[in-house]
Amino acid sequence: MMKGLPPAAAHRRRFLAEFILEPIEPRTLVRVIALLLAGGAMLWGLGFVGVIDLAFIAANIDSMAAPALWSLGITTASFVFGVAIGMPVGLLRALYPSFRKARSAGPRRTSSFLAAVGLPVYGAGTGFVEAIRGTPFYVQMWITFFLVASLLPKVPFIELWAGILALTINTGAYQSEVFRAGFQSVGQGQVEAAKSVGMSPVKTFASVILPQSLRLIILPLTNEFVSLLKASSILSVIAVQELTFRSRQIGSNLGHPLEAFVMVSLFYLALIIPLSKLLARFEQIRRIPGLGVAEPTRLRGARPPRVDNSMSAQNSLRPPLILRQPQVVGRGTAPRETWGRPLSMACLLPLPFRLARRPSVSAACSDDDGTPRGVRTIRGISPEVE
Amino acid sequence: MIEVRGIHKSFGNLHVLQEVSLSVDKGDVLVILGPSGSGKSTLLRCINLLIYPDRGDVLLEGLVVNRPSIRPEWVRQQIGMVFQSFNLFTHLTALENVTLGLTKVKKIDRTEAVRQARFELERVGLADKADAFPAQLSGGQQQRVAIARALALDPKAILFDEPTSALDPEYIREVLDVMTELAHEGTTMIVVTHEIGFARNVADRVLFMAEGKIVEQGTPHEILEAPNQDRTREFIGKVLS
């Protein structure tokens, strides 16, 4: 059925080459340039009418580079320490319920020590996650700061350590939820299969659950990193010398607060957008067929569904998504789709108008081996098509 | 080879298995028939200790294995299992699915494991799909990889839990052919299935279960052509019509 599959090893090795060498789509390039131009034009326009002082920005922008690196460094350190909290807590919260079930299922050798300790530890983990997710980071940071400051009054750079600790605790709780979801998303069937070949729970986790869940959580973890980088700006209030602190300094010392904050936004954007795009691309290239969400297809306007059986598609890493005997399951105006909605200006139009100009057909899609891929709604096709 | 003595299993108030006993000799093929919900899958899972029975004994070569002093991993390693929904490891290729047990459980050297895995894939007719991921294979091919995965550990017996129930009709044949071939090679097998044809042609013994109890058992001819119990006759009639 699938001819000329790439060997698995090549699939794994080739990602780096693709990651770097695969040419950027011209459409993407045009979009990036257009966005940069639009942003530049807006700044220039604001400068032109005298709202902001572009000369000030030009003169001071280089002094922000070092604090930007500080922000990045603090965030990265906290994120990495956060994994050390998030992974075990997520694992605990993912596995404890099934552990209890397994224990009650029969005469098992699970130690009674584990069972006795399990519930309090599980409860503590849950309490920690709920407490952190239920309070603002600003408050958590002050609590951490005063705790650290009163316990270790003589330590230099206390605000930096307290800040990193606060970020670590915060991201640890959020990451634990990401890890938990990742661990839980690996099917029970595969866990059973691993057991049935004689693998111990630890081996099952290491060889089956972990590799799959790590791939699945690349994107949510990216989101968490981005949130954390933005949250790190709050450390400026305890005088950590990061990006936002520096901009406040420049702004108040030199009397140009607006320019300072515009500069700081530019730096955050320059850090966050390329980073998230790179990681999204990394995730896309590392994706394994059948693991995780299928790639959203771009169906725009009146373009017919792509039925691609060309050699290149056959050789690609994913099986070609074709409409196999598309079975029309609904038709009409499709107020929402399951996935793959392209962002378009049309979403700004009033709803009735949008519905009126977007006829659509919903079709049940499957791969060529019959694996269902959900219902796809194709807009721009007249409902008569069948 | 495998013996089950009077096992009981309940999930909550549901008494899934009631006093079930059976035994399978080396090289025999036992087919278990029965309506859904009759406890067939639970019985299989009790045999390789994916579930522990509440009462009763499971014996492997005369040794009671459902007791705390015996590691369930040791038992499962010796009894292969093939699932209704294949349950291949999504992130591994067909070849890696087969080698995983060899390298992680049997601690076999990687190159040797690959050699064995290729041999098993060849046995199920999928040598050319070694590098495909499960999602790139048809249902029938996935199930054959799953059989190769079970075979690779050189088990004393293989349990099949409705191996063709999740397959499109066009792929059922290829899986049954592989299973028939295995039976002819003398593999000890316990097969839960609705494929009456397979039971008739391949089974040494057929066992009919309903409501958690064994209704009757005997040769394929006895059960399929001349059942003693009304319950069996009713079921066979429904399946064949």
Side-chain angles (χ1 to χ4, degrees):
Chain A
M1 184 170 30
M2 295 286 303
K3 293 272 154 52
L5 289 166
H11 166 72
R12 266 149 214 179
R13 240 171 276 132
R14 118 184 190 193
F15 85 95
L16 199 68
E18 276 184 60
F19 193 51
I20 297 163
L21 298 179
E22 193 169 305
I24 300 168
E25 265 184 72
R27 202 165 61 176
T28 314
L29 205 62
V30 168
R31 274 187 206 162
V32 171
I33 293 173
L35 265 174
L36 286 176
L37 284 179
M42 210 169 74
L43 272 182
W44 184 83
L46 288 172
F48 186 76
V49 296
V51 175
I52 62 172
D53 184 351
L54 290 177
F56 179 84
I57 291 184
N60 287 288
I61 200 155
D62 58 324
S63 70
M64 308 283 275
L69 285 182
W70 266 106
S71 277
L72 195 61
I74 291 170
T75 308
T76 310
S78 310
F79 189 81
V80 172
F81 297 148
V83 174
I85 298 179
M87 189 130 84
V89 174
L91 186 63
L92 176 79
R93 277 169 47 79
L95 297 189
Y96 181 71
S98 60
F99 165 77
R100 278 194 76 171
K101 216 173 106 194
R103 196 178 150 73
S104 65
R108 297 303 313 274
R109 304 174 319 125
T110 43
S111 80
S112 45
F113 170 76
L114 215 61
V117 155
L119 188 59
V121 172
Y122 174 75
T126 305
F128 164 70
V129 173
E130 296 299 340
I132 295 298
R133 295 204 308 162
T135 50
F137 175 66
Y138 186 80
V139 174
Q140 293 162 14
M141 183 198 63
W142 277 118
I143 291 177
T144 316
F145 177 76
F146 286 122
L147 275 179
V148 172
S150 63
L151 290 173
L152 307 162
K154 294 264 165 59
V155 177
F157 305 114
I158 190 77
E159 74 286 350
L160 179 64
W161 307 130
I164 290 178
L165 182 64
L167 282 175
T168 301
I169 292 171
N170 181 270
T171 193
Y174 282 96
Q175 283 182 31
S176 79
E177 285 296 273
V178 174
F179 277 105
R180 182 177 63 82
F183 295 145
Q184 284 175 336
S185 66
V186 177
Q188 203 51 40
Q190 289 187 53
V191 174
E192 260 196 349
K195 281 183 177 175
S196 80
V197 293
M199 289 169 73
S200 65
V202 173
K203 278 179 191 153
T204 303
F205 177 74
S207 309
V208 176
I209 299 179
L210 193 62
Q212 294 190 42
S213 49
L214 284 186
R215 278 195 181 82
L216 291 171
I217 63 178
I218 293 174
L219 290 182
L221 277 186
T222 309
N223 280 344
E224 175 52 26
F225 185 86
V226 167
S227 303
L228 191 67
L229 182 58
K230 290 185 288 187
S232 76
S233 68
I234 297 177
L235 300 191
S236 64
V237 300
I238 55 168
V240 176
Q241 309 273 332
E242 48 72 70
L243 193 51
T244 306
F245 181 80
R246 179 77 185 135
S247 78
R248 283 169 34 151
Q249 238 179 3
I250 292 180
S252 50
N253 288 356
L254 305 176
H256 283 82
L258 177 59
E259 287 77 3
F261 281 112
V262 169
M263 273 194 287
V264 89
S265 332
L266 292 180
F267 270 99
Y268 280 116
L269 287 174
L271 288 176
I272 286 169
I273 292 178
L275 184 82
S276 49
K277 295 286 176 206
L278 274 177
L279 279 166
R281 194 153 167 68
F282 173 74
E283 192 274 342
Q284 196 180 22
I285 286 164
R286 298 283 341 219
R287 193 174 290 163
I288 282 177
L291 184 59
V293 198
E295 192 179 1
T297 43
R298 294 189 198 127
L299 295 172
R300 321 186 87 196
R303 212 178 279 179
R306 194 171 57 123
V307 179
D308 193 348
N309 285 321
S310 64
M311 268 319 281
S312 68
Q314 298 257 332
N315 283 329
S316 76
L317 302 179
R318 258 160 262 109
L321 197 66
I322 62 169
L323 293 169
R324 182 168 176 261
Q325 298 163 340
Q327 182 193 354
V328 175
V329 294
R331 69 186 74 171
T333 43
R336 57 182 269 277
E337 307 172 43
T338 16
W339 27 266
R341 170 193 283 263
L343 193 64
S344 86
M345 294 306 283
C347 65
L348 299 175
L349 294 173
L351 191 68
F353 183 55
R354 227 187 315 156
L355 294 184
R357 57 183 286 278
R358 287 279 176 121
S360 69
V361 167
S362 302
C365 297
S366 59
D367 281 359
D368 47 3
D369 65 350
T371 313
R373 288 282 187 160
V375 173
R376 179 96 37 92
T377 297
I378 302 151
R379 289 175 297 181
I381 292 184
S382 126
E384 284 79 55
V385 177
E386 206 164 336
Chain B
M1 167 71 63
I2 290 176
E3 202 182 334
V4 171
R5 283 188 196 153
I7 59 169
H8 287 253
K9 182 70 195 177
S10 305
F11 295 118
N13 290 328
L14 197 64
H15 207 160
V16 187
L17 291 178
Q18 301 173 36
E19 195 64 31
V20 172
S21 301
L22 60 83
S23 82
V24 182
D25 292 332
K26 190 168 164 54
D28 271 6
V29 177
L30 171 68
V31 167
I32 302 178
L33 299 175
S36 28
S38 58
K40 309 182 299 284
S41 293
T42 309
L43 175 60
L44 280 195
R45 269 147 225 263
C46 282
I47 292 174
N48 75 348
L49 301 183
L50 282 174
I51 299 175
Y52 274 69
D54 296 334
R55 267 196 290 148
D57 291 331
V58 178
L59 286 82
L60 178 61
E61 294 185 317
L63 180 72
V64 177
V65 291
N66 59 327
R67 51 181 176 176
S69 59
I70 289 184
R71 289 171 49 239
E73 289 84 21
W74 178 79
V75 178
R76 293 179 198 137
Q77 191 186 329
Q78 304 182 63
I79 303 178
M81 179 137 183
V82 174
F83 298 87
Q84 178 176 0
S85 48
F86 329 137
N87 295 352
L88 292 181
F89 307 125
T90 317
H91 64 304
L92 299 178
T93 62
L95 185 75
E96 291 165 331
N97 262 283
V98 183
T99 53
L100 190 69
L102 293 172
T103 53
K104 298 288 171 190
V105 178
K106 285 204 154 180
K107 310 276 184 201
I108 291 175
D109 165 68
R110 203 180 144 69
T111 50
E112 172 60 18
V114 168
R115 202 189 58 74
Q116 281 189 29
R118 285 198 188 280
F119 172 74
E120 301 298 350
L121 284 177
E122 191 133 358
R123 246 172 117 180
V124 298
L126 287 173
D128 56 329
K129 299 292 182 194
D131 287 315
F133 286 101
Q136 293 166 322
L137 298 172
S138 72
Q141 291 170 334
Q142 288 191 50
Q143 192 59 294
R144 286 189 282 154
V145 172
I147 293 174
R149 176 173 68 183
L151 282 174
L153 290 167
D154 196 18
K156 295 186 171 134
I158 303 185
L159 315 176
F160 292 83
D161 187 7
E162 302 201 20
T164 55
S165 297
L167 294 176
D168 285 347
E170 53 186 309
Y171 299 130
I172 290 179
R173 189 77 256 155
E174 63 190 52
V175 172
L176 290 181
D177 284 347
V178 168
M179 289 167 61
T180 308
E181 186 59 36
L182 287 179
H184 290 156
E185 288 170 17
T187 315
T188 313
M189 295 162 54
I190 301 181
V191 185
V192 168
T193 186
H194 296 302
E195 297 291 331
I196 298 292
F198 180 82
R200 183 178 291 125
N201 299 328
V202 183
D204 296 299
R205 273 183 326 119
V206 175
L207 184 154
F208 178 72
M209 273 182 85
E211 286 96 40
K213 294 181 192 129
I214 293 176
V215 177
E216 63 181 312
Q217 50 181 314
T219 64
H221 182 81
E222 286 165 6
I223 302 295
L224 299 175
E225 317 299 339
N228 287 324
Q229 305 288 325
D230 290 344
R231 188 73 185 82
T232 317
R233 206 168 298 130
E234 183 195 342
F235 177 78
I236 303 287
K238 274 186 190 158
V239 173
L240 287 182
S241 63

